Amino acid sequence: MEFKAFIEITRPHNCLLAGIVGVLGSIVAVGDIPAPRTALLVFLVVVLGCAGGNTINDYFDYEIDKINRPERPLPRGAMSRRTALYYSLALFAVGLSLAALINIYAFTIALVAYVMMFLYAWKLKPLPFVGNLTVAALTAATPLYGAVAVEHLGLAGYLAVCAFLVNVAREVIKDIEDVEGDVAKGARTLPILWGNKKAARVGALFAVLTVAASFLPVKAGVGLGYYAMVPVDLIILYAAYLILRSQDRETAHRSQKLLKISIFLAVMAFLVAALV
C-alpha cells in the first residue's frame, strides 16, 4: 500500500477547487468576505465531501478504471478496495461533524449531498442521463452550500443554475470520452444508447443553455463587473464546437476539460460582479 494513494485517490486538485468554489459561493451570496470560521468550515465540508465522493466512486468503478484509468490507485494495487471503502466513509463522517458546526441547514444539505454521492457511485452512475443530472446537481449545490452557510442567496442562485447546466454538458461529453470502459462494464450512458454524435448534440445543447442562462443576472441589475463572464461564455461555446466537430476520445477529453475550467472562471466572474 502506498501512503500517497490516500491523497491521490481523492483527486486533491478537484477537491481544493470545489472547496474554493464553496467559499466563493458565500462571498457571491453576501457580496463580502464571510467570517473566517464560517469560510473555513465551508471549505472543509466541501473538500471532505468531494474527497469521500471521489474515493467511493473509485471503489465502485474498479472494473471500469482497469480499462479507462489503470494508473489510478486501486487498479494499480496502491490501495485495497476495502481500505478505500472505509476511507471514504471516514471522510464523510468528519465532513458531517464539521457541517453540524455551521447550522442545521448546512448539516442537512451536506448529509443529502453525501448520500447522493454514495448512491451515484453505487447505483445511479450507469443509468442513462440520471447519473449526469446527479453530478450536475451536486456541483451546482457547491456554491449554494456557501450561500446557506451565510444564510443569504444573492447571486449564488444564478451561479448554481449555470453550474448545473454546464456540468450536464461536461458529464455527457465525459461519457463520450469513457465509452470504451463503460461498454466493457455494461453501462447504459447516452453515447452507448444513442451514439456519440447524438450525445455530442445533447452536450452542446446544454453548453449553449449555460451561455443563455449566464445573462440572467443582467436582468437582475448586476454591475459592469459581470462582463468578466463574456470570455467564459466564449470558452463554453468553443467546447461545444469542438465536440460537435469530432467525437473522438481526445477531442472529448479536451472539450470536457475546457468546460471544467469554465466552471471556475464563471465563479470568478460572479465574484467580481458581486464585489463590484
Side-chain angles (χ1 to χ4, degrees), residues 204-249:
L205 172 62
F206 275 90
V208 172
L209 288 175
T210 303
V211 174
S214 72
F215 288 94
L216 291 175
V218 177
K219 301 187 78 174
V222 72
L224 291 176
Y226 186 66
Y227 284 98
M229 189 69 189
V230 172
V232 183
D233 284 342
L234 293 177
I235 293 174
I236 294 172
L237 290 175
Y238 181 62
Y241 163 74
L242 286 178
I243 198 61
L244 286 175
R245 186 182 64 178
S246 173
Q247 294 82 48
D248 63 75
R249 185 175 184 181

Side-chain angles (χ1 to χ4, degrees), residues 73-97:
L74 297 188
R76 75 167 190 263
M79 177 187 290
S80 71
R81 292 188 70 200
R82 176 173 293 187
T83 298
L85 175 61
Y86 292 149
Y87 181 42
S88 67
L89 295 177
L91 290 167
F92 286 143
V94 175
L96 286 176
S97 299

Side-chain angles (χ1 to χ4, degrees), residues 128-188:
F129 207 44
V130 175
N132 302 136
L133 294 175
T134 302
V135 172
L138 287 169
T139 305
T142 303
L144 280 182
Y145 190 76
V148 168
V150 295
E151 300 182 12
H152 191 77
L153 187 59
L155 290 177
Y158 295 113
L159 176 58
V161 171
C162 291
F164 173 77
L165 294 171
V166 75
N167 271 281
V168 174
R170 179 175 180 262
E171 286 299 311
V172 171
I173 294 171
K174 194 168 180 295
D175 282 344
I176 296 174
E177 179 187 1
D178 293 342
V179 161
E180 183 180 351
D182 289 342
V183 168
K185 192 184 178 184
R188 300 171 64 237

Side-chain angles (χ1 to χ4, degrees), residues 55 58 95 103 123 156 185 189 204 229 232 237 239 262 274:
T55 302
D58 279 12
N103 58 48
K123 291 291 186 181
K185 192 184 178 184
T189 60
M229 189 69 189
V232 183
L237 290 175
S262 75

